[in-house]
Amino acid sequence: MAIYDIVKFPNPVLTTPASPVSRVTQNVVRVLENMAETMKAANGIGLAAPQVNILKRIAVVDVEDGKGRLDLINPVILEGRDEELGPDGCLSIPGLYGDTPRFKWIRVQMWDRNGMHVEFEETGFRARCIQHEIDHLDGILFTSKAVRLYRDDMAPQSGKGRRGAVMKSTPLGGQ
Ligand code: NI
């Protein structure tokens, strides 16, 4: 396994749409494992392949909610409901956060690491993170969707509402 360098804003690879994976090869599985290592080493909760300079539609998510890691290959949001504002952060834009609209509930189609087509529903913070990663695959950064941006030293203190609570329980460094 290997740890990749994480590409930082404003590298143009971050705003370039990624190509679909045509077949789940051993190389794709190796990239997923290396991305998972890279995410963990950076204390992140999600990572998309363009963030490690690989323009393929691959991402990993682990929001440490006990549900384990999710490997996404060619993911598509089929349906989303109930938009809400919440905190997004990004490993490629360290120290910056933003109140970003995301669906509370999504239905996702993707390939798993065996190349099988799967469909599932997701809610809450895990759904938020999946939407953030899929945006990366389309070359979209949360800063283009956020209604308000703030540095981490301007984040609300604990005890001042939901965002503070989420920020506290969320590894800084983001997605
Ligand atoms: Ni990100």
Side-chain angles (χ1 to χ4, degrees):
M1 295 218 262
I3 290 178
Y4 297 125
D5 288 332
I6 296 177
V7 171
K8 301 293 192 319
F9 180 83
N11 190 310
V13 76
L14 294 171
T15 46
T16 304
S19 311
V21 170
S22 54
R23 204 162 62 87
V24 181
T25 59
Q26 275 196 338
N27 187 48
V28 169
V29 173
R30 193 157 46 235
V31 166
L32 280 166
E33 291 302 325
N34 290 342
M35 285 175 58
E37 282 293 300
T38 305
M39 170 177 70
K40 207 185 262 184
N43 280 326
I45 53 175
L47 187 69
Q51 292 180 276
V52 293
N53 211 17
I54 297 172
L55 277 172
K56 287 288 174 187
R57 302 187 77 83
I58 300 171
V60 291
V61 165
D62 188 351
V63 300
E64 291 169 355
D65 57 357
K67 286 187 173 177
R69 189 179 99 211
L70 176 65
D71 295 337
L72 300 127
I73 303 169
N74 296 336
V76 177
I77 305 228
L78 297 174
E79 200 182 344
R81 287 186 205 145
D82 297 335
E83 231 177 41
E84 66 174 352
L85 282 180
D88 269 40
C90 187
L91 291 172
S92 295
I93 317 174
L96 193 67
Y97 296 86
D99 290 331
T100 310
R102 302 284 183 196
F103 294 121
K104 282 188 201 172
W105 176 96
I106 52 174
R107 197 153 58 87
V108 180
Q109 182 186 66
M110 63 163 206
W111 298 1
D112 68 15
R113 55 194 296 155
N114 300 312
M116 301 295 291
H117 292 235
V118 292
E119 240 182 75
F120 62 94
E121 295 172 10
E122 197 49 84
T123 58
F125 197 63
R126 196 172 164 97
R128 167 167 296 274
C129 193
I130 291 169
Q131 291 168 82
H132 177 108
E133 302 315 329
I134 293 178
D135 270 357
H136 270 300
L137 304 182
D138 293 323
I140 297 168
L141 299 173
F142 80 91
T143 44
S144 68
K145 289 189 168 178
V147 297
R148 189 174 78 89
L149 294 169
Y150 44 91
R151 310 291 313 179
D152 54 1
D153 57 2
M154 290 168 61
Q157 298 305 302
S158 59
K160 285 194 177 172
R162 186 171 173 275
R163 182 177 57 221
V166 171
M167 294 286 293
K168 265 185 86 101
S169 64
T170 302
L172 294 181
Q175 300 141 259

